[in-house]
Each structure stands twice: as structure tokens, then as C-alpha cells.
Amino acid sequence: MTTIEAPEAEHQTVEQLMGRLFGSGVGAIELCNAYLGIHLGLYRELERRPATPVELAHRTGCDQRYLREWLQAQAISGFALVDGDDPATARYSLGSGIADVFVHETAPTYLGGLTDALAAAATVLPKLLDAYCTGAGVPYAAYGRDAVTAQAALNRPSFVNELVSAWLPHLPDVLTRLQDSDHPAHVADLGCGMGWAGIELAKAFPHIRVEGRDNDEASIALGRQHAVDAGVADRVTLEVVDISDTEADWSQRYDLAFFVECVHDFPRPVEALRNARAAVAPGGTVLVVDERADETFTTPGDEVQRFFAGASAIWCLPQGRVGLHPEPIGAVIRPDDMRDLARRAGYSRVDIVPIEHPFWRFYRLVP
């Protein structure tokens, strides 16, 4: 039998692919362990002070043997520093920068939401097998509570650190309107999730009113409690509403209606944008913040584009293919896609606001 040797270039490509996928597997496993560390409060306790497995078990109420294994993995991954040669008795502390990534939820570097996203996606993989064969959608609720917390955790740092200080200065007329305490502005946070964006606006402008609308009951319930905790529940109201529902009450007149990272998920994005246009007051603003996908189909893509494309296939498109006659765009939403949606929704123009962000593009839709 003759053995056919693969060309050297092809052999190298296979080896590179194997290395890349193995690295992805290692990363996925580390995210799973990070999920435990975040939700069990292990990283937070280690930030307070170093601990042996026995000490950490006493402080957290977790099982010592499991914690020994987890701490060993954290040290080998480079997330924890270790003082001692025996994993069972060594004292562990957080490595540099780990708390900013896994503990401090409003830090601009926080990535804890990635762990929840992985857990949520893993939950629905069997459902995706069926959906890919039948063409059916997989509703957001099927992804579980981890999906709710993932979305909020990934977006909240930008709201806390950039929304008021970095984004609004690029919309000076909107900023001026929000600052007007004599005639308080009325704001709609559409697809609000847990309402973090509206809460940050209400904290920055203590006279405005914000209405958040989202069709996910779990997100709205959590968001209402967040508004209470932030002391803005008297001015931030969150309601369960299908934003694409043309039968819903859109008689309010908003000075600012905005969507953050959600239009690409909607089963009926044109109807959602049309409802926003109907609800905005004369001279008001409709702002859409969505994925900064490459303007044209380019392969291979960088890590950000790979993230968008991969997430779209298992998260965004399945969630958008629910209900009657869905036509979701998916996470690879390009400027031409947004222009087409806006045109069909009755807008006269789409302006791209020159705000720098590694993941998002900012569109001002002109009625």
C-alpha cells in the first residue's frame, strides 16, 4: 500500500489548525472554571486576602477538596499566585489584573459575562441541533438565566464608563436636551435588558424620565430591582413589551429613543425601528448601537469578527428566528444592513456617529 504524504504547506496548516482549536479548548475550560470562581465568590474572597484550600472552604462554605482542585487549576493557568509546594496546603492569591477581569463588575476590563455566555450556549446546543434541521428558532428564554446575566455583564461596563462621558459628547444636541432641567427629557431604552443603560442616564441626569421596554420578563424583573437599588426607580420604569408589536401603545413622545446591541437579534427589526420612529418627538433622536461588523464580507476575520460570526450562529440568529415571518439580521450586521432596515422603517437618513469603540458602531437614524 502506498502512503500519500501531505504537502508540507498543508501539513503546517493542519498543525496550525490543531494548535488553534486546542488553544480554544483550553480557553473554554478556563472559562468554565472562571464561571465557578465568579458565581461561588471565590475570586472575590481571594481578592480580600490569600487563602489555603481549607481557609477558602471555611470562608465560602464550599467543599475543601473541590476547592483544592480549582485553586490548583487557577495557579497552573496563571490566574492565581501560589506560596508553597503542596497544592493541598499552599496559600493562593489572585494574580495581577485578575480582579479587574473577574471581580469588579463595572470595570472597563470586566469579562465575567463571557463565562455566563458559554454556560448559556452550552445549555441549548441540543436544541440547536434540531433548529438547524427544522429551521425553527430557539427563544431567548431557552438559554436560561445565564443568558440574561451574560448580556448585562458584557455591556454594563461600557454604560458605566463611556455612555455619559464618551458617547454623549458626540451627540451635543442630545446632551444639551438631557441637561435641560427646566423641561426634563423623556427617554426610551428599547431592548433594555436589565436596564443598566437607562439607570446610568438617570443617575447622570437626575431630572429625566426613562422608560425601558423589553420582551424578556426575567430581565425586566431583575432590572426593576437594580433601579430600586440605584435609587432611581421613581424615574426609571421597566415594562415587558414586544418592541416589534405594532399594536402596543407607541403614543408616548420621546426626546431620545435608543437601542443598544439588540436590533440585530430582533425577529422583526423593521417593525421595531418603525415603532421607535413613531414614538420619538419632533426633533428627537433615534440612536442604534450595534455590532461593529466589517463593512464587507472579509475572510478570514480578526478575533472580533470571529466572535460576531460565531456568536451569531449559536446565539443571535436562533433567538431571532421565532414568531411569525421572522427576518433577523444576525450579529454580522453591516452598515448597509442598517441603512436598508432604516429605509424600510421610513427613516430618511442614517448617519454613523464617529464614536470609537472596539465592538460597537453608532447609528443616528433621521426620521
Side-chain angles (χ1 to χ4, degrees):
M1 179 179 295
T2 303
T3 300
I4 301 176
E5 296 290 338
E8 183 63 23
E10 180 181 338
H11 181 66
Q12 291 177 354
T13 299
V14 170
E15 286 187 342
Q16 291 168 356
L17 177 59
M18 290 172 62
R20 170 178 158 182
L21 292 180
F22 182 74
S24 297
V26 172
I29 289 172
E30 290 179 337
L31 282 177
C32 289
N33 277 281
Y35 178 92
L36 299 174
I38 292 169
H39 288 278
L40 294 174
L42 307 180
Y43 290 124
R44 192 172 298 278
E45 277 298 321
L46 289 176
E47 184 191 25
R48 288 178 54 203
R49 64 181 185 275
T52 65
V54 171
E55 291 169 344
L56 190 59
H58 177 73
R59 283 155 49 182
T60 63
C62 295
D63 178 78
Q64 178 270 329
R65 182 63 184 85
Y66 273 118
L67 289 186
R68 185 209 308 178
E69 208 73 9
W70 183 85
L71 286 165
Q72 176 179 256
Q74 296 300 293
I76 292 174
S77 291
F79 297 158
L81 304 177
V82 59
D83 181 12
D85 297 327
D86 183 349
T89 59
R91 180 164 274 102
Y92 298 83
S93 59
L94 287 189
S96 176
I98 300 302
D100 287 331
V101 175
F102 288 147
V103 177
H104 304 154
E105 297 175 353
T106 61
T109 52
Y110 185 73
L111 287 178
L114 280 179
T115 72
D116 288 2
L118 178 62
T123 297
V124 299
L125 284 177
K127 292 182 173 64
L128 288 174
L129 289 176
D130 291 336
Y132 264 66
C133 295
T134 65
V138 179
Y140 184 62
Y143 288 71
R145 184 177 173 120
D146 283 323
V148 175
T149 55
Q151 203 90 25
L154 287 170
N155 294 346
R156 187 185 176 196
S158 286
F159 301 150
V160 172
N161 297 288
E162 302 175 48
L163 173 55
V164 174
S165 62
W167 300 357
L168 288 179
H170 288 274
L171 299 162
D173 58 324
V174 175
L175 179 57
T176 298
R177 183 69 189 90
L178 294 174
Q179 292 171 332
D180 185 354
S181 58
D182 294 330
H183 302 89
H186 195 188
V187 177
D189 181 0
L190 303 177
C192 64
M194 288 193 196
W196 286 122
I199 289 171
E200 288 302 316
L201 283 177
K203 288 164 59 178
F205 305 101
H207 43 274
I208 71 170
R209 290 179 297 132
V210 180
E211 292 183 12
R213 295 186 173 189
D214 197 290
N215 68 351
D216 183 63
E217 294 183 4
S219 298
I220 292 298
L222 291 168
R224 287 171 176 163
Q225 185 58 53
H226 293 319
V228 170
D229 294 342
V232 296
D234 59 328
R235 293 181 297 111
V236 176
T237 58
L238 304 178
E239 300 295 336
V240 178
V241 177
D242 180 354
I243 303 166
S244 301
D245 183 3
T246 55
E247 300 300 320
D249 180 11
W250 295 100
S251 61
Q252 294 285 356
R253 286 296 175 261
Y254 299 105
D255 299 287
L256 170 64
F258 66 91
F259 303 82
V260 179
E261 211 208 3
C262 57
V263 168
H264 73 265
D265 290 320
F266 290 159
R268 293 181 293 153
V270 171
E271 287 86 342
L273 293 175
R274 187 180 293 136
N275 287 340
R277 181 174 63 84
V280 76
T285 296
V286 176
L287 180 69
V288 176
V289 183
D290 222 307
E291 315 297 41
R292 200 181 192 91
D294 284 341
E295 295 194 20
T296 59
F297 180 34
T298 304
T299 61
D302 62 22
E303 288 190 335
V304 172
Q305 301 305 313
R306 285 166 51 196
F307 182 82
F308 291 157
S312 191
I314 65 172
W315 189 285
C316 308
L317 184 67
Q319 293 174 20
R321 296 195 71 180
V322 296
L324 295 174
H325 312 300
E327 51 172 4
I329 299 296
V332 186
I333 183 168
R334 311 187 194 281
D336 282 347
D337 294 320
M338 185 60 68
R339 294 185 185 101
D340 180 63
L341 293 175
R343 177 189 58 78
R344 292 165 58 196
Y347 292 87
S348 63
R349 192 175 77 245
V350 175
D351 296 332
I352 296 179
V353 185
I355 298 173
E356 292 298 322
H357 194 281
F359 299 107
W360 294 339
R361 187 177 280 116
F362 297 73
Y363 302 91
R364 184 169 187 162
L365 278 54
V366 180

